[in-house]
Amino acid sequence: MSVLLASQDFWDDRSEETVEAAEEEIDAALHELVTALTARWGRPESIDLEPYLWGESPAPEPMQTLCVLSGEMLVWRRPDAGRWIALAVGQNDPEFPIELLAAVGEAPIPSSNDH
C-alpha cells in the first residue's frame, strides 16, 4: 500500500474551512486517478470495507490496513495479471492527514459474508 497524496495534518487547525479544502484536494486527485484507470481498465467495483474491519477473521493484506483507514475502496480487477488494484481515501484520526491510498493485492477479495 502506498500513500499517493496526503493533506496537511490538523493538529493546529481543524476548522471546517481547512478540513474542507484538504478534502477537496484529495477528492480532486482521486477523481483524476479514477478517470484514468477507468479509461484503461473499465469501471471500478466499490467495496464496503466495514464488514472486513469487524469480521471474525482478519482480511488479507492490504485490505486489513485499508479497513482501518477507510470505509470503502474502488477496485479494478486484473484477472490477466492475477491481481487487483484499489484506491481509497482514508484518515487514521481526525488530527492526522487525509490520505489518498493505492493498494495492489494478489489474494482474492473474500466475500464480506465470509467475515
Side-chain angles (χ1 to χ4, degrees):
M1 187 175 73
S2 295
V3 176
L4 302 178
L5 181 64
S7 72
Q8 68 181 58
D9 66 44
F10 303 102
W11 291 102
D12 296 326
D13 184 3
R14 286 182 38 194
S15 68
E16 187 174 326
E17 297 82 24
T18 301
V19 173
E20 282 182 10
E23 289 172 340
E24 288 173 8
E25 177 186 13
I26 297 294
D27 285 345
L30 173 64
H31 179 72
E32 196 173 308
L33 283 170
V34 167
T35 299
L37 291 174
T38 299
R40 183 166 184 163
W41 294 319
R43 288 191 139 334
E45 176 184 355
S46 177
I47 297 187
D48 178 8
L49 292 171
E50 191 167 337
Y52 298 99
L53 180 63
W54 304 111
E56 291 180 20
S57 59
E61 286 297 344
M63 285 181 65
Q64 184 62 36
T65 301
L66 287 171
C67 290
V68 175
L69 299 172
S70 182
E72 173 188 38
M73 69 179 183
L74 297 174
V75 175
W76 291 264
R77 296 180 191 261
R78 300 290 316 219
D80 57 319
R83 313 178 201 180
W84 50 267
I85 298 164
L87 295 176
V89 173
Q91 188 176 23
N92 201 20
D93 199 57
E95 290 84 13
F96 287 16
I98 301 168
E99 299 175 326
L100 174 55
L101 307 162
V104 175
E106 293 181 336
I109 298 172
S111 165
S112 61
N113 297 332
D114 295 342
H115 285 75

